[in-house]
Amino acid sequence: MRHPENMSVLEERIKALRKGASALSVTSNDTRKNALEKMAEAILRRKAEIVAANEEDIAKAKESGIPSSILNRLKFTDDKIASAVKGLRELIFLPDPVGKVREARELDDGFILKKVTFPIGVIAMIFEARPDALVQIAGLALRSGNAVVLKGGKEAEKTNRVLVSIIGDATESVVNASWIFGIESHADVDAILKMEKDIDLIIPRGSNKFVSYVMDHTHIPVIGHSDGICSVYVDKDACVDMAVRIAVDSKVQYPAACNAAETILVHRDIAPSFLPALSDAFRKHGVVVHADEESLRYMPDAIPATEEDYCTEYLALECAIKTVGSIEEAIDHIAEHGSHHTDSIVTSSESSKSLFFQAVDSADVFCNCSTRFADGFRFGLGAEVGISTSKIHARGPVGLDGLMTTKWLLSGHGEIVADYTGANGRSFTHKEIENA
């Protein structure tokens, strides 16, 4: 990572990334795979440096009294490092995302048009204090042939700085390009927001306020999500045991994640059997519950809920619960209070599942499973740079495919438009080509 420096120097570094992105976009699949392996090896070889830097960040964070949810994300333990390296090596075995043929069409005999995938170019990622996320993002950028500007949360400053240095050192000679660069200051963020000629895409992760700030201060395309207010709706036809397991996993398995459930909606007919069982399970895990008046009848340990509780992303062992009279009421609640991230229904009714799938306008809509499955790695996308609640370009977990754009390639034999113009002009065949 870099210390604040003269803006002209920042601009020079970003322009170097533009050249690096161009060079990286034409590297072979094997070259990028080799670079990923070098990256994985270097992280393991220099793990002691990473851990030492992370311990400094953790000590400073504890002194400042940061919330436990941020502290948990900040910790880059041996297990997290091993998992990050495993993720890089799994990326190696995924198909090359560059040059995939999306469409192929014959315009005329031997006159062939193809739409193929191509790297976006230079991507700026602004994300929370999660060193493991930095490794995932860098790996996805490299595998997809994109250069990347990284701005992690200030709490992970030293860890991020070491990681960017290790990754750059390990890969630059392999891909023959400068493709990764870290920034640290808010001034640098404000500067890159104005670099629409050199940065192709910004992916911010954080609060609604921050994401809105990015969108309001740049002409660069932005994709991403802010809050992860995810819900689990327990339908009247749900299996109680299954519903408890899913609700507990959605909330407890990793409460600091954006795909953890923050609201449990319960059909009135199943509340008398489900809510006491959920209350017992949540009590064992230390979950603080904010419940509406009807739910409080079955959850004596709960706190009376306010309207604000249903719009809160707790990112901790805490959640809101509400009893509803119908699936339609649950869907309306999600539309009003949710963040279009991930919502799940627990039901044995195919009609309820179908209605929920059709009516809930979220990036990820599940049935009979935990919201925690909303993840690029679990989807088989090769990890993710984030989960997008946008409806343009990429939606849901943004993996390799979400970091690609397309270009049209047209191969002819001297064809000119005049030949296809007028009453006697040639006709286009427009014949689709399979398996091009």
Side-chain angles (χ1 to χ4, degrees), residues 82-97:
S83 179
V85 169
K86 182 171 182 270
L88 291 176
R89 286 175 167 156
E90 287 172 345
L91 275 175
I92 293 171
F93 295 100
L94 291 179
D96 186 5

Side-chain angles (χ1 to χ4, degrees), residues 78-124:
D78 285 350
D79 285 346
K80 284 187 177 180
I81 292 173
S83 179
V85 169
K86 182 171 182 270
L88 291 176
R89 286 175 167 156
E90 287 172 345
L91 275 175
I92 293 171
F93 295 100
L94 291 179
D96 186 5
V98 182
K100 286 185 176 179
V101 178
R102 293 276 181 84
E103 297 180 42
R105 180 173 305 114
E106 179 193 83
L107 304 189
D108 200 351
D109 186 27
F111 194 19
I112 306 300
L113 176 69
K114 293 182 180 180
K115 183 180 183 180
V116 301
T117 57
F118 193 75
I120 287 173
V122 179
I123 299 171

Side-chain angles (χ1 to χ4, degrees), residues 95 101 182 208 274 294 296 348 393 417:
V101 178
N208 265 323
F274 170 73
E294 189 168 352
L296 282 168
S348 61
H393 179 66
V417 169

Side-chain angles (χ1 to χ4, degrees), residues 172-431:
E172 190 166 349
S173 63
V174 182
V175 297
N176 295 314
S178 176
W179 66 276
I180 184 170
F181 179 48
I183 61 175
E184 293 176 1
S185 73
H186 291 300
D188 285 348
V189 171
D190 286 337
I192 66 171
L193 295 182
K194 297 178 175 63
M195 296 183 183
E196 58 266 24
K197 291 184 178 180
D198 295 305
I199 296 175
D200 299 291
L201 178 68
I202 298 177
I203 305 178
R205 305 193 331 191
S207 66
N208 265 323
K209 182 179 179 181
F210 172 68
V211 174
S212 296
Y213 176 86
V214 171
M215 291 179 172
D216 291 343
H217 290 81
T218 189
H219 296 297
I220 302 169
V222 177
I223 62 172
H225 81 275
S226 49
D227 291 342
I229 302 176
C230 306
S231 299
V232 174
Y233 166 58
V234 180
D235 192 36
K236 64 179 180 178
D237 296 312
C239 166
V240 170
D241 289 343
M242 179 193 292
V244 170
R245 290 181 70 247
I246 289 171
V248 168
D249 188 83
S250 297
K251 177 71 267 182
V252 172
Q253 198 272 331
Y254 186 36
C258 63
N259 57 16
E262 305 294 10
T263 301
I264 311 294
L265 302 171
V266 187
H267 195 287
R268 182 171 293 123
D269 292 355
I270 202 171
S273 55
F274 170 73
L275 287 178
L278 181 66
S279 183
D280 290 342
F282 272 177
R283 190 182 305 112
K284 292 175 183 176
H285 291 283
V287 179
V288 176
V289 173
H290 302 255
D292 70 319
E293 185 176 353
E294 189 168 352
S295 301
L296 282 168
R297 294 163 51 192
Y298 308 106
M299 308 187 82
D301 298 339
I303 302 168
T306 65
E307 187 65 18
E308 185 179 351
D309 289 322
Y310 298 109
C311 302
T312 299
E313 185 180 23
Y314 293 103
L315 298 174
L317 290 173
E318 194 166 0
C319 76
I321 292 183
K322 183 177 182 179
T323 297
V324 296
S326 66
I327 184 174
E328 288 82 8
E329 186 180 344
I331 291 168
D332 289 344
H333 177 98
I334 292 169
E336 183 176 353
H337 300 280
S339 59
H340 307 287
H341 189 296
T342 301
D343 299 286
S344 183
I345 180 175
V346 185
T347 186
S348 61
S349 166
E350 282 297 319
S351 61
S352 292
K353 170 185 172 180
S354 178
L355 176 60
F356 196 83
F357 274 15
Q358 291 175 13
V360 173
D361 183 19
S362 294
D364 308 298
V365 185
F366 299 163
C367 179
N368 293 339
C369 60
S370 170
T371 59
R372 289 279 293 119
F373 281 105
D375 175 85
F377 172 72
R378 297 183 181 107
F379 277 19
L381 306 180
E384 66 185 39
V385 296
I387 294 181
S388 171
T389 53
S390 302
K391 295 187 179 181
I392 304 298
H393 179 66
R395 196 178 192 200
V398 182
L400 291 174
D401 190 63
L403 299 182
M404 308 305 296
T405 186
T406 57
K407 59 169 67 173
W408 291 99
L409 305 179
L410 182 59
S411 300
H413 301 85
E415 288 84 354
I416 60 174
V417 169
D419 292 340
Y420 296 84
T421 304
N424 297 318
R426 290 178 61 87
S427 296
F428 292 108
T429 59
H430 286 160
K431 184 168 68 177

